[in-house]
Amino acid sequence: MLSNPLIQRYRYSSFRKRQVWIYATIYISVIILLLFINYSIYLIHSAFGGIDNFFKSLFFQFITFQVLILWAWGSYNSGSAIKDEVLEKSYDFFRMLPIPAWEKAVGILVGKNLVVLLMAGINFLFIFVFGILGRISLYLEIQILFVLLSMAVLANSAGLLSSVCKVPKKKSSNPIVLIILAFFTVPYLLAGIYQLSESENLESFHVKFFGIDIPLLILISLIALYFSFWVFTGVICKFNRERDPLFTMKGAFLFAIGYELIAVGLFIPYLLHEAPVVYAFWITTLPPAVIVAFGSLKGMEHYIEYSRTIQEKRSAKKHSMTRMLAYSNLSVGLGLFAIWSIFATSMVIADKGNLPANLHSILTLFSSYLFIILLVELYSIYKSSNPKIGLLVGFIMILYFSLPLVFGGIMENEFVVLYSPFGYIANLFAEFIEEPIADLSIWVINFLLCVIPAIIVLNKYRLILTTREKMSSLNGVQA
């Protein structure tokens, strides 16, 4: 790993004497300050109730410090790597490095965080020692270590992916965003670690996954590593084909199936309860299908390029529209919803619910989903020729989601609220719908809304294929 040229490059820049002295001074000062404050409180105010609790408190304080180092500082370094390459005008050199994409990703994740990893390693020694002195279970220490490392991998990979997906064109700095983000996240982080410190026998706290008892911290770590794998795969794909969407069709389907299986494993032990577990599963798993569909969006340039592939296969000329539809973003979106609906229906059957009524609800949700992905497809195929199309599509979506809620409140009519996807999903928990005809009217209107965008999208597909056919014919005549 150390032979990686990127790691070597970052090593020379990170471990300059001036920088090392600055980092060492700050780190040692923080350590001394933490120890001095806690020891002063222990001596003067007789706090903590004993020496064991004193070291236990230090154990969890250093965990907090480790979170800030590995998750916050590390992910910031990883996320700023590509921006730094652009600002230093070395991004073209980075792209042409004759090493595999995975080595570039590892080089950035490790090389940009060499100082972070060094401090984290020293911190782990403090955590281990304070854990022993504070009579913390070694098994719990191992679990916490696993969580810290797995979440650090996920946070750093996600930071790198965010920078790869949108390469900055100029220097930009917005510390206000970071300050606001820290303002809302740090209190919850500190509260979570405090609750962790107050928990008894946390290492023996298990949750059911597909009916199997698994330690909570181990399960969190495994899920984090699963998503880290996909994030890292996305980074490699963007390094290899930076103009392609984040997900291929196959990758989108595999990710969706994996996500659904994880959700099923978490929800299925709680079926056959009075609480609406099935609908909680629906609203937990449907939004990711929409997000993955966004991550799979192909632009106009991809359609034009693929039309050449269709044109080259003369035998399939009569089925060119079918092939275009199979390649389109609509197929990815429909496939993702099909995967979701299979799992959603399976959960209804496992819960022994009312299958016909729930199938009707799935169809209603599908009608809303279809309208949304048609609008998204309009944006993807027209954004290159009309950059303002995003404003129109966003405005239509806002009206679609909010108008029924507004008019339902004005008219004090609960049924009107159901025409908004938000209102309909909320209503699933309230069990307001009693007559099937109510569902029927909702999905009929949704399907009618789909007609105009569907016609526009199909006409655009035809235009692409017709233009490609004319270009091929012209080239044949010139030849």
Side-chain angles (χ1 to χ4, degrees):
M1 180 183 293
L2 294 179
S3 62
N4 188 305
L6 286 174
I7 295 179
Q8 292 294 331
R9 174 194 169 192
Y10 290 126
R11 181 172 67 87
Y12 287 124
S13 61
S14 298
F15 287 102
R16 292 171 182 161
K17 289 185 178 180
R18 291 182 179 179
Q19 293 191 16
V20 170
W21 278 111
I22 292 173
Y23 290 136
T25 302
I26 294 175
Y27 179 74
I28 294 173
S29 300
V30 172
I31 297 297
I32 294 175
L33 190 62
L34 276 176
L35 295 177
F36 177 75
I37 291 175
N38 281 272
Y39 190 65
S40 300
I41 294 174
Y42 174 72
L43 288 180
I44 298 174
H45 299 284
S46 300
F48 303 112
I51 191 66
D52 291 346
N53 290 333
F54 168 72
F55 286 114
K56 182 179 179 181
S57 176
L58 284 174
F59 172 81
F60 286 103
Q61 289 179 46
F62 271 77
I63 287 178
T64 306
F65 190 27
Q66 192 77 315
V67 166
L68 295 176
I69 291 175
L70 286 175
W71 298 3
W73 187 15
S75 59
Y76 174 80
N77 288 343
S78 300
S80 62
I82 301 300
K83 182 183 72 173
D84 292 342
E85 296 288 347
V86 173
L87 298 180
E88 294 171 4
K89 299 181 179 180
S90 58
Y91 185 60
D92 290 335
F93 171 76
F94 170 82
R95 295 164 64 184
M96 293 186 294
L97 273 177
I99 59 175
W102 69 269
E103 286 192 28
K104 292 182 181 180
V106 172
I108 290 177
L109 293 174
V110 176
K112 287 288 287 186
N113 291 301
L114 288 174
V115 176
V116 171
L117 293 174
L118 177 61
M119 290 186 179
I122 299 173
N123 248 23
F124 276 126
L125 293 178
F126 281 107
I127 291 173
F128 179 73
V129 171
F130 290 142
I132 294 177
L133 296 176
R135 300 184 182 278
I136 302 294
S137 167
L138 181 60
Y139 185 42
L140 177 59
E141 289 193 52
I142 294 173
Q143 290 187 34
I144 292 176
L145 171 65
F146 193 20
V147 170
L148 287 172
L149 292 178
S150 58
M151 291 298 295
V153 172
L154 177 59
N156 281 266
S157 301
L160 178 57
L161 180 62
S162 66
S163 66
V164 173
C165 288
K166 188 176 181 181
V167 177
K169 303 300 181 183
K170 58 182 180 179
K171 184 175 182 179
S172 60
S173 178
N174 196 354
I176 296 178
V177 176
L178 296 177
I179 293 173
I180 294 175
L181 182 62
F183 179 79
F184 284 102
T185 57
V186 170
Y188 293 103
L189 174 63
L190 297 178
I193 295 177
Y194 174 77
Q195 291 295 329
L196 182 68
S197 65
E198 294 295 317
S199 301
E200 297 291 339
N201 300 322
L202 181 64
E203 68 276 10
S204 61
F205 184 79
H206 291 67
V207 293
K208 290 186 178 296
F209 186 73
F210 285 107
I212 303 172
D213 287 334
I214 300 177
L216 174 62
L217 297 180
I218 297 296
L219 181 61
I220 293 174
S221 302
L222 293 175
I223 293 175
L225 288 178
Y226 170 78
F227 286 111
S228 298
F229 165 78
W230 280 103
V231 173
F232 190 79
T233 302
V235 172
I236 294 174
C237 291
K238 294 302 287 187
F239 278 155
N240 287 328
R241 300 179 298 274
E242 61 183 38
R243 295 187 179 274
D244 283 1
L246 185 59
F247 286 100
T248 62
M249 181 180 291
K250 181 180 178 181
F253 293 162
L254 288 175
F255 176 82
I257 292 172
Y259 181 87
E260 294 286 344
L261 287 174
I262 292 174
V264 169
L266 294 173
F267 276 91
I268 202 167
Y270 303 99
L271 293 178
L272 302 178
H273 287 62
E274 293 183 0
V277 177
V278 171
Y279 297 140
F281 173 84
W282 285 16
I283 64 172
T284 303
T285 54
L286 185 55
V290 179
I291 295 173
V292 173
F294 273 95
S296 308
L297 284 180
K298 294 180 282 286
M300 189 66 178
E301 64 277 9
H302 297 96
Y303 286 120
I304 294 174
E305 183 67 23
Y306 186 71
S307 65
R308 182 175 63 181
T309 304
I310 296 175
Q311 190 65 31
E312 290 173 353
K313 298 183 178 181
R314 301 287 183 178
S315 60
K317 186 176 179 180
K318 294 182 179 179
H319 306 286
S320 57
M321 178 57 74
T322 303
R323 291 171 61 84
M324 180 65 80
L325 286 172
Y327 175 78
S328 69
N329 298 320
L330 297 178
S331 294
V332 178
L334 294 176
L336 290 171
F337 190 89
I339 292 171
W340 175 84
S341 62
I342 290 172
F343 282 95
T345 304
S346 301
M347 291 292 283
V348 172
I349 295 173
D351 196 47
K352 298 180 180 179
N354 187 340
L355 185 60
N358 283 285
L359 287 177
H360 215 89
S361 297
I362 291 175
L363 180 61
T364 304
L365 292 174
F366 171 71
S367 64
S368 298
Y369 179 87
L370 180 61
F371 180 61
I372 292 171
I373 63 172
L374 281 169
L375 290 178
V376 172
E377 180 70 335
L378 275 176
Y379 166 75
S380 67
I381 61 179
Y382 279 100
K383 65 179 180 180
S384 58
S385 58
N386 189 353
K388 300 298 183 182
I389 188 67
L391 294 176
L392 176 61
V393 170
F395 178 70
I396 294 174
M397 283 192 180
I398 291 173
L399 292 181
Y400 177 64
F401 280 93
S402 62
L403 273 185
L405 300 177
V406 174
F407 283 113
I410 293 175
M411 296 185 294
E412 297 182 353
N413 188 330
E414 293 181 344
F415 178 70
V416 176
V417 174
L418 302 180
Y419 288 92
S420 167
F422 289 154
Y424 188 83
I425 291 174
N427 185 73
L428 291 175
F429 292 88
E431 298 180 352
F432 171 73
I433 300 177
E434 298 179 357
E435 300 179 4
I437 188 65
D439 285 44
L440 181 64
S441 65
I442 295 170
W443 68 257
V444 166
I445 290 178
N446 284 334
F447 282 127
L448 289 176
L449 290 174
C450 293
V451 172
I452 294 178
I455 292 174
I456 297 174
V457 168
L458 292 176
N459 286 337
K460 192 66 172 181
Y461 292 164
R462 291 192 185 96
L463 177 62
I464 294 171
L465 294 171
T466 303
T467 303
R468 173 63 68 178
E469 185 177 351
K470 291 180 179 179
M471 290 174 61
S472 299
S473 301
L474 182 60
N475 292 334
V477 171
Q478 290 178 350

